[in-house]
Amino acid sequence: MSFDFRNWDIHNGDSHPFNAERPRPDNGTARPDPARYYSREFWDAEWERVFTKTWLLAGVECDIPDEGDWLRFDIGTESFVVARQGDDSVRAFYNVCPHRGSQVALDDFGSADNFTCPFHSWKFGLDGKNISVTDAETFHPNVLCHGTDMKQVRCETIAGLIFISMNDNVMPLADYLGEVAEHLALYDIGKMHVVQHKRSDWAANWKGGVDAFYEIYHLHSVHPQTQAVMDDRTQIDLFPNGMSRQFVPFAQPSPRFPDQETVNAGIKMMLADAGIDPETFTGTAQESRAAIQQAKRERSVSYNLGYEKFSDTQLSDSTIYGLFPNIQIGCHPEAVFIHRFMPHPTDPEQFTYETIILFKPEDIPGYNVPAWMGLSEDADPTGMIRPNIVHTPLGEPPELGEVLDQDSELLPIVQKGARSRGFAGPLWSEQEARLRHFHVELDRYINGEK
C-alpha cells in the first residue's frame, strides 16, 4: 500500500454529490509529544486556549422545547444554564449567582418562570436579569452597582443542537461548523427526542477517547465481532476548523471476515431495522446492504419520509461527524448517536464519556432505533418521557453494550502506555487521518495561532 493512500471506494449504486470526497489538507507527518495525554500543563493550556475559546455542544433543543425550560451543562470547572426564552430563542449563562458564587441550577433539567439562588434566594429572569435582591436595603448602593445579573455567554443553535461559547469574540457558529452544519441539518435532529442518555467515567485522557472513536482501524483487533456486520474500509473527509466526516459501511462483512456470503445474526438485525423479514431474505451478506437501501427508499415513498434527500450510503451506513473539539455524532435518517468526550475538572488522566441517543418516532412497522446503538431494553422509544441521565462512576462497568464496554477496558491500557519513556508519540496512518486533523487543529489553539 503506498503512503499516499486515502480512501477505499465504498459506495454502491448511483453516485451522489453528498458522497463525494472533499479536498484533504496537508496536515504533515509530525509525531506529537505524548505528554499531551497526561501533562497537567498541557491540560491547563487546553482549558484556557481551547475549551474557553471554541463552540461547545451544550445540549439538544428537544430538551427545552417550551418557554421556561432549561438544562444544565457542566464541563471542566464550569457550569452553565441554558434556557428557552419567551420569543423561542435560547440563551445561556454561567450557572452562578453574582452574590456569593452559589450555583443556581442544581438539577440536570427543569422548567420555571425564574431562577432562584438556593443560598440567599436572589431571583433572576429567564434572560438572566436580576428580578430581586433579598433585603436589598441592607446593601450599600455602590456594592450592587457592580452588577446583579447572571453573566451571559454566547449561545447559538443549529440543526436542533445547542452550542455555547465562553469567548465573546468567537466566530459565528455556522462559519465554525462550515459545510458540516448543512449536513447535520439533513437529519432533522430538531424533530427527534432523547431516548437514552448515559455518562461513564473512564481512566484516560479525553483525547484518548476522541482518538479511539475517530478511527475504525482498531475494530478487527478490539472488536472482532463487528467484522461480520461492518466493513472497515472507509472514506474520510476533512473540513476546516478541525471538523471531519467518516463513512462506516454497515450490513456487509469486512473483507477480513472469512464468510462473505452467510447472512449472519447481526446482518439479520439490520435487515429487520429496514423492515425486511430476515427469515425470508434470499440474498447474501454482500447483497444485504443494497437491499436495506432499497427497502428504506420504498418505506420513504410509502410513508412520505423524505429520504430522497439522502444518498444510498446515508440510508444503510453510519455517517459520522467529528465536531472540534470534543464531539462525535453518528447520523442515520431515523436516529443520531452523540458522543461527548468531557475533560475531567482536575485530572488529565480521566474523562467522562457521554452518549445521547436521539430518535424520531414514526408509526411504521419495523421502524426502530438502529439496533447497533444499543438502546436499553427498558428505554421508551416513543420520546414521551425524557429519560434520566445514568452516570456510572470510575471502576464500574459502564454497561454501554459489548463494543463500547470493550473500549472502556482498553483505553486505560493505552493511557498507561502513553506515559512510558519507550513511547515517543503516535504514528498515524491514513486510516487515522481524522486523528491527525484533530490534533493539528488542537495545536493551532495551543500555540496561539487561533
Side-chain angles (χ1 to χ4, degrees):
M1 184 181 299
S2 63
F3 76 90
D4 61 351
F5 164 80
R6 281 191 49 177
N7 288 313
W8 283 280
D9 182 10
I10 61 167
H11 306 288
N12 55 20
D14 296 333
S15 62
H16 193 285
F18 182 86
N19 300 344
E21 292 187 31
R22 274 42 176 189
R24 185 173 294 188
D26 181 2
N27 285 323
T29 59
R31 191 178 195 181
D33 186 340
R36 67 181 51 224
Y37 292 103
Y38 57 82
S39 162
R40 177 68 200 210
E41 290 74 22
F42 197 90
W43 186 98
D44 289 340
E46 286 177 335
W47 179 251
E48 293 299 331
R49 301 176 190 176
V50 180
F51 286 99
T52 68
K53 302 301 182 184
T54 56
W55 285 104
L56 306 173
L57 179 62
V60 290
E61 288 205 73
C62 64
D63 276 338
I64 53 169
D66 302 316
E67 179 183 1
D69 292 342
W70 57 266
L71 62 86
R72 195 185 77 212
F73 169 56
D74 296 346
I75 184 168
T77 57
E78 290 290 0
S79 179
F80 306 89
V81 59
V82 181
R84 179 72 67 178
Q85 306 295 301
D87 62 359
D88 202 40
S89 66
V90 179
R91 292 190 182 186
F93 314 90
Y94 286 99
N95 181 21
V96 60
C97 177
H99 172 219
R100 293 272 293 278
S102 170
Q103 289 193 335
V104 175
L106 305 183
D107 297 325
D108 292 317
F109 307 97
S111 186
D113 295 330
N114 59 70
F115 300 107
T116 302
C117 175
F119 201 178
H120 299 92
S121 67
W122 284 30
K123 295 185 184 299
F124 308 89
L126 295 175
D127 59 359
K129 301 294 184 182
N130 184 273
I131 295 175
S132 68
V133 173
T134 306
D135 299 338
E137 69 278 5
T138 67
F139 287 82
H140 192 291
N142 289 346
V143 171
L144 297 182
C145 283
H146 288 296
T148 59
D149 298 337
M150 297 174 70
K151 186 175 181 180
Q152 189 168 341
V153 296
R154 289 280 298 274
C155 181
E156 294 184 21
T157 63
I158 225 163
L161 305 173
I162 304 169
F163 292 81
I164 66 100
S165 180
M166 293 174 262
N167 179 6
D168 290 339
N169 298 315
V170 69
M171 71 177 72
L173 178 61
D175 295 341
Y176 181 74
L177 295 175
E179 184 180 348
V180 170
E182 302 170 13
H183 292 194
L184 293 174
L186 293 172
Y187 291 91
D188 294 326
I189 300 172
K191 297 179 181 178
M192 296 182 180
H193 302 278
V194 176
V195 294
Q196 184 168 291
H197 192 164
K198 292 187 176 184
R199 294 173 181 153
S200 55
D201 299 327
W202 293 18
N205 183 270
W206 70 276
K207 295 183 297 300
V210 171
D211 289 354
F213 286 84
Y214 267 30
E215 50 91 355
I216 61 172
Y217 180 36
H218 71 282
L219 294 189
H220 70 281
S221 178
V222 182
H223 315 299
Q225 70 274 29
T226 65
Q227 301 295 276
V229 296
M230 292 171 57
D231 191 338
D232 49 9
R233 296 172 298 179
T234 187
Q235 176 180 318
I236 294 170
D237 295 298
L238 307 177
F239 302 99
N241 300 321
M243 311 301 163
S244 62
R245 174 178 72 171
Q246 186 163 18
F247 292 104
V248 181
F250 280 0
Q252 66 184 34
S254 163
R256 306 177 197 266
F257 193 68
D259 186 350
Q260 295 289 308
E261 299 296 321
T262 302
V263 179
N264 55 63
I267 291 179
K268 287 182 179 180
M269 177 181 69
M270 294 179 177
L271 288 167
D273 281 345
I276 299 173
D277 182 354
E279 302 308 319
T280 60
F281 179 67
T282 59
T284 68
Q286 287 296 324
E287 297 168 330
S288 55
R289 183 175 175 225
I292 286 172
Q293 294 167 352
Q294 181 60 33
K296 288 194 176 182
R297 292 268 179 231
E298 294 170 359
R299 175 190 275 173
S300 176
V301 171
S302 298
Y303 295 95
N304 194 30
L305 297 178
Y307 285 6
E308 60 273 9
K309 64 185 176 182
F310 296 118
S311 70
D312 287 343
T313 298
Q314 289 174 274
L315 299 183
S316 59
D317 305 347
S318 186
T319 308
I320 298 174
Y321 291 92
L323 311 185
F324 187 85
N326 67 325
I327 302 297
Q328 175 155 289
I329 305 181
C331 296
H332 296 255
E334 302 81 15
V336 300
F337 192 97
I338 297 176
H339 313 249
R340 281 198 290 203
F341 305 96
M342 308 294 281
H344 190 274
T346 59
D347 186 351
E349 296 190 81
Q350 289 188 44
F351 79 99
T352 297
Y353 173 59
E354 187 168 11
T355 63
I356 306 172
I357 300 176
L358 293 108
F359 176 56
K360 184 166 59 176
E362 299 282 358
D363 186 16
I364 298 173
Y367 182 98
N368 298 298
V369 176
W372 76 265
M373 291 187 177
L375 188 67
S376 300
E377 292 183 1
D378 59 351
D380 175 15
T382 67
M384 298 298 292
I385 299 175
R386 208 288 181 192
N388 293 326
I389 301 173
V390 178
H391 194 157
T392 305
L394 190 68
E396 294 185 15
E399 297 184 357
L400 296 169
E402 183 181 29
V403 171
L404 296 181
D405 283 1
Q406 288 170 333
D407 286 319
S408 74
E409 295 170 359
L410 177 70
L411 284 188
I413 298 172
V414 178
Q415 182 66 33
K416 289 180 180 179
R419 274 191 167 274
S420 171
R421 65 187 64 193
F423 180 63
L427 301 171
W428 291 309
S429 73
E430 293 306 302
Q431 293 186 70
E432 300 159 290
R434 293 178 66 205
L435 280 67
R436 184 178 295 280
H437 189 60
F438 161 77
H439 283 271
V440 166
E441 184 71 7
L442 183 76
D443 285 342
R444 291 191 180 107
Y445 282 92
I446 296 296
N447 298 331
E449 299 171 34
K450 299 191 79 168

